[in-house]
Amino acid sequence: PSSPTSPPSAQAADGCTPAPAAPGTEGELSAPDADEIAAVSGKTVVATLDTNCGAIRLTLDGAKAPKTVASFVQLSQLGYWKNAPCHRLVTRGIFVLQCGDPTGSGNGNPGYGYGIENAPADGKYPRGTVAMARTNDPNSNGGQYFIVFKDTELPTDGGGYSIFGTVSSGMDIVDKIAAGGNGADGVAPALPISTLTVTTETKG
């Protein structure tokens, strides 16, 4: 599907450059294999989201969410998220910035899905949590993820949402985007933010 574009009047936040147009591409990829999952299992992965507003660094937990972390590493290495916008900002009830869809529509996926890992039984997602977004299908984890910018409680019906990491630096960027509120469509952030590149480094 074609990607929605930011309205012409959308202004970049202070410290940000104008966000690039969404690539609009759908994925045709395969899920990580057993060897790729084993490569991150039990390990910590440091990920850097280079955005048009600066770097957001994540610490990913390969011990608690090996399939999710392996998928994240694969998608970053393949450049799946190049210029992908953060297409959804929710500031009422739950407090999340959702990213990871190159189509910018909220419907894009990398061509594969997988099941839930490390979802909290109490449905609580603290500020700084990074978790996977999905549809009602518990096996629909793919390329979309969200960053929690204020303590949030989400439904546990259906299994919850896979927590696979935390923000180690750059929450000030997320806070700035969140403070700008929603855009004209009421879903996308009014202050556009996109991941220009994503890199990862696996630690011991």
Side-chain angles (χ1 to χ4, degrees):
S2 61
S3 61
T5 56
S6 299
S9 59
Q11 297 294 316
D14 290 343
C16 301
T17 58
T25 53
E26 290 275 16
E28 297 181 355
L29 306 173
S30 297
D33 60 26
D35 288 342
E36 291 168 315
I37 295 170
V40 301
S41 182
K43 297 181 180 179
T44 297
V45 174
V46 176
T48 301
L49 314 180
D50 281 315
T51 79
N52 61 302
C53 296
I56 300 172
R57 290 185 173 83
L58 314 177
T59 300
L60 309 184
D61 192 340
K64 293 182 178 178
K67 291 181 181 179
T68 308
V69 173
S71 175
F72 194 96
V73 170
Q74 171 180 268
L75 294 178
S76 68
Q77 291 176 341
L78 294 175
Y80 176 74
W81 290 306
K82 181 177 175 61
N83 295 340
C86 293
H87 62 275
R88 181 174 182 239
L89 174 68
V90 186
T91 60
R92 294 183 180 180
I94 65 174
F95 306 93
V96 301
L97 176 65
Q98 187 168 327
C99 310
D101 177 7
T103 73
S105 68
N107 297 316
N109 67 71
Y112 63 83
Y114 57 91
I116 299 167
E117 294 180 301
N118 194 39
D122 61 3
K124 293 182 178 179
Y125 297 75
R127 169 179 164 82
T129 296
V130 186
M132 293 303 297
R134 62 174 179 81
T135 67
N136 290 332
D137 180 353
N139 293 307
S140 62
N141 291 292
Q144 295 186 42
Y145 58 93
F146 59 87
I147 298 172
V148 180
F149 58 87
K150 182 179 178 182
D151 290 357
T152 288
E153 189 164 343
L154 295 171
T156 56
D157 295 348
Y161 300 84
S162 303
I163 293 177
F164 66 102
T166 56
V167 176
S168 56
S169 67
M171 276 303 296
D172 57 319
I173 294 172
V174 179
D175 290 339
K176 177 165 53 180
I177 300 303
N182 302 112
D185 61 4
V187 176
L191 302 175
I193 182 170
S194 297
T195 54
L196 307 180
T197 61
V198 181
T199 56
T200 60
E201 180 182 0
T202 302
K203 305 288 188 179

